[in-house]
Amino acid sequence: MTSIDDVMIEITPQVLLKAYACGIFPMAESAEDNALYWIEPERRGILPLDRVHIPKRLARTIRSGGFEVKIDRNFEAVIDGCAAPRSGRRSTWINGRIRGLYRELFALGHCHTIEVWQNGALIGGLYGVHLGRAFFGESMFSRARDASKIALVYLVARLKYGGFTLLDTQFVTGHLARFGAIEVSRDEFQRFLEAALGGGTAHGSGSGGAAAAAGGWGGLGGGAAAAAGGSGGSAGSSGAGVFSLLSEGAGAETVLQLVSQTSKTGCSTA
């Protein structure tokens, strides 16, 4: 872990995107510490998008409705939610510099939010960065039961529809493991990342198909789009152009069908 300040780099949105392209991301020790650190884990968390598991109870919750999912509507409210204290955590790694940098990435179209609203209130969501056909999940929050899980399911559907090939979760938590997140080596992750950025097809060994079908955290062709009643992004499309292909008003059955659909394209640890 190297401090950005130690190496005297003026971090800008462009520098940050280059870091993501190398498999590196920044974090801070706390909201009060203004220093940033480059992180490149030995073991990297990914969500294999062709094998995402949706618990039955969560699927029932999604089908029952009572909420609205919005895209890129309120970045400030989402990052506030991600930075807020929560049970078992009084501090956050999201400091002022993190907020400023990702705000700029949002303005440039490289940072996205998935927001879950209920009765006019934001009850949960997540944000992350896209580059090529890779999506880098940054943080999520929930103020109501299952809200962050709903956001994750809707993100996976959007990514699969758009033809992404890698969903980076940075680390694997118990929350993500229930959806099928796994750890891969640094070398495996680099191969998946290279493929997602246009460098070819990655192959590795491990448990489960790694990132092949999530359309935003996995790769998918026209089959997913056909299931949704539209036309999907091609394998060569950039994330900037395809993240918004799936209608914001996509219904629960469309979303669940997209997430459950598998693909024979993209990168995989199988």
Side-chain angles (χ1 to χ4, degrees):
M1 181 172 70
T2 303
S3 169
I4 293 172
D5 296 319
D6 288 346
V7 294
M8 300 299 291
I9 294 175
E10 179 186 358
I11 187 167
T12 64
Q14 291 70 31
V15 168
L16 186 52
L17 290 175
K18 289 180 180 179
Y20 275 109
C22 294
I24 305 170
F25 58 90
M27 291 187 74
E29 289 286 351
S30 70
E32 292 73 32
D33 184 354
N34 200 43
L36 298 181
Y37 298 87
W38 293 126
I39 309 294
E40 188 182 18
E42 289 285 347
R43 302 289 296 175
R44 191 71 168 250
I46 62 172
L47 182 55
L49 292 170
D50 58 346
R51 298 193 182 186
V52 175
H53 171 69
I54 305 177
K56 291 182 179 179
R57 186 185 62 78
L58 178 60
R60 288 196 298 269
T61 297
I62 291 173
R63 288 189 174 99
S64 67
F67 59 87
E68 184 179 4
V69 177
K70 300 180 181 180
I71 310 300
D72 293 345
R73 297 293 189 89
N74 197 329
F75 170 81
E76 297 297 338
V78 171
I79 202 165
D80 282 347
C82 291
R86 65 189 69 169
S87 177
R89 192 195 76 178
R90 290 184 296 175
S91 61
T92 175
W93 56 270
I94 300 175
N95 64 10
R97 291 177 73 186
I98 290 286
R99 284 175 176 268
L101 282 167
Y102 287 87
R103 183 184 296 118
E104 291 183 75
L105 286 183
F106 183 78
L108 291 171
H110 278 286
C111 181
H112 295 287
T113 62
I114 306 290
E115 308 160 15
V116 182
W117 294 77
Q118 189 174 60
N119 299 323
L122 181 65
I123 61 171
L126 57 83
Y127 77 96
V129 173
H130 83 249
L131 192 61
R133 291 181 294 158
F135 192 94
F136 306 87
E138 284 297 317
S139 188
M140 60 176 63
F141 77 100
S142 186
R143 296 182 180 133
R145 183 174 180 175
D146 291 338
S148 63
K149 297 175 184 177
I150 291 169
L152 179 57
V153 169
Y154 272 73
L155 173 64
V156 169
R158 180 164 296 274
L159 296 177
K160 293 183 78 165
Y161 189 87
F164 285 67
T165 61
L166 176 65
L167 174 52
D168 170 36
T169 68
Q170 298 179 350
F171 306 101
V172 175
T173 65
H175 178 84
L176 292 169
R178 286 189 286 272
F179 285 88
I182 61 172
E183 286 187 339
V184 296
S185 70
R186 181 183 293 173
D187 288 343
E188 285 179 298
F189 181 80
Q190 289 293 337
R191 289 198 295 272
F192 299 149
L193 179 57
E194 180 182 355
L197 299 182
T201 301
H203 298 281
S205 60
S207 57
W217 286 11
L220 198 67
S231 58
S234 69
S237 299
S238 70
V242 301
F243 189 83
S244 298
L245 279 179
L246 182 63
S247 169
E248 192 176 67
E253 290 301 330
T254 293
V255 167
L256 293 172
Q257 185 178 358
L258 281 167
V259 174
S260 65
Q261 187 169 352
T262 59
S263 171
K264 295 181 180 179
T265 63
C267 57
S268 174
T269 57

